[in-house]
Amino acid sequence: MMNFSLVDVKSITSNEPRSNFLEADLENLADIIIETGGIIRPLVVKMTGVENYTVVDGHFEYYAAVRAREKNPRQGEMVNAFVIAPKLEDLVVKQVASLKGIDSSGKIIPPQPETTKLEPRLANLELRLEKQLNEFKSEFLQERQRIDSQFKQLENLIPQKSEQSNPLSLLNTLDKDELSIKLQRSRIPGAEKLAKGIFDARSKKPKQKFEDYRDVVKSVKNLGDKTILTIIDEWSRS
């Protein structure tokens, strides 16, 4: 299975050394990434842990994205990526190698007879992959818009509550132990660890508080959209 996602650059690693690429080339692509708002060709990554990934293909683009994030943390924070199941890694590597014209060992494949007959097929394959990518992007954007809409609907209800019942206010004021207890009462998995993550992330903020719920999701590791929506729903009713 392969899913298209927006992935935080800082949660990705590469087994290929950065020194394999010219810094001038990385610098150039990093500037383009910042200017255009992202990479055109998504990375192919595999999940190695909770919200941790390793590059399978696209090492050059990955290091350029890292450089973009170094230059502009907000603009270069997220990258497009295909997240593959670990069991599919070998098959995906072979597919990528085949499309690049090299075998899985890294050796260049000698030209084959009747290459011109293969070119239209490869062109059609690229078109199909591009179409699939656009469909993935469209579905992802629709899902993101749906979630943002839910956030807005909930936020419109929250001001009617007292300050003590405002989930964002609670996330910005409760200490680590209080957060842990409240998360446990809301039956949030990993409440103690999540409470520490929220507290630590909040402490690193310039004003020691989150700007909004999207800021909470971006700042707290392993806190996904579904979890924050559950927290907002549960804490708004308490």
Side-chain angles (χ1 to χ4, degrees):
M1 184 176 180
M2 184 164 58
N3 297 318
F4 179 77
S5 304
L6 271 178
V7 181
D8 194 329
V9 174
K10 66 182 180 181
S11 67
I12 306 173
T13 58
S14 171
N15 294 326
E16 187 166 332
R18 181 169 175 167
S19 58
N20 285 0
F21 308 103
L22 294 176
E23 285 297 326
D25 292 339
L26 294 175
E27 191 77 16
N28 182 54
L29 182 54
D31 290 337
I32 295 174
I33 290 173
I34 293 173
E35 184 177 351
T36 59
I39 57 176
I40 296 176
R41 190 169 81 94
L43 305 179
V44 178
V45 300
K46 65 176 180 178
M47 184 173 287
T48 55
V50 179
E51 297 297 326
N52 290 313
Y53 309 88
T54 296
V55 177
V56 174
D57 180 59
H59 300 276
F60 174 70
E61 289 85 349
Y62 160 69
Y63 282 117
V66 170
R67 180 57 185 142
R69 188 176 188 277
E70 292 171 351
K71 300 180 73 172
N72 190 324
R74 182 170 293 276
Q75 191 72 13
E77 184 176 17
M78 310 295 286
V79 291
N80 297 321
F82 284 112
V83 181
I84 64 172
K87 65 181 180 180
L88 296 179
E89 180 182 0
D90 291 340
L91 293 175
V92 172
V93 169
K94 289 180 180 179
Q95 181 181 145
V96 170
S98 177
L99 291 174
K100 287 184 175 180
I102 58 176
D103 63 20
S104 57
S105 66
K107 297 179 181 179
I108 298 176
I109 299 175
Q112 299 296 317
E114 301 182 0
T115 303
T116 54
K117 293 183 179 180
L118 293 176
E119 289 177 354
R121 294 170 59 186
L122 289 176
N124 289 334
L125 177 59
E126 289 178 356
L127 289 174
R128 290 199 299 271
L129 289 174
E130 183 178 358
K131 181 180 179 181
Q132 287 182 331
L133 173 60
N134 289 332
E135 290 175 351
F136 280 133
K137 286 183 177 179
S138 178
E139 292 175 1
F140 179 81
L141 288 175
Q142 290 177 7
E143 179 65 14
R144 177 63 66 183
Q145 290 172 356
R146 185 187 67 79
I147 293 173
D148 286 343
S149 177
Q150 288 182 319
F151 273 128
K152 290 178 181 178
Q153 291 175 7
L154 288 169
E155 287 173 345
N156 289 336
L157 294 175
I158 290 170
Q160 301 173 11
K161 303 282 185 176
S162 67
E163 189 68 16
Q164 292 181 344
S165 299
N166 188 321
L168 183 60
S169 176
L170 293 173
L171 289 168
N172 279 327
T173 56
L174 296 180
D175 63 29
K176 185 164 54 178
D177 292 335
E178 291 171 333
L179 282 168
S180 179
I181 293 172
K182 197 160 185 65
L183 288 169
Q184 289 176 14
R185 289 176 178 173
S186 301
R187 299 178 181 178
I188 303 298
E192 185 175 350
K193 185 177 180 180
L194 182 57
K196 183 179 184 303
I198 294 172
F199 182 82
D200 292 343
R202 187 181 73 197
S203 301
K204 296 177 183 178
K205 291 291 175 180
K207 296 182 180 180
Q208 302 288 300
K209 67 177 185 178
F210 301 109
E211 296 178 3
D212 50 36
Y213 295 111
R214 181 61 60 197
D215 185 27
V216 179
V217 174
K218 286 184 177 181
S219 303
V220 181
K221 189 176 182 181
N222 300 332
L223 176 61
D225 292 328
K226 292 183 179 179
T227 301
I228 191 65
L229 286 172
T230 300
I231 291 173
I232 294 172
D233 184 51
E234 291 289 331
W235 292 10
S236 297
R237 292 183 296 179
S238 61

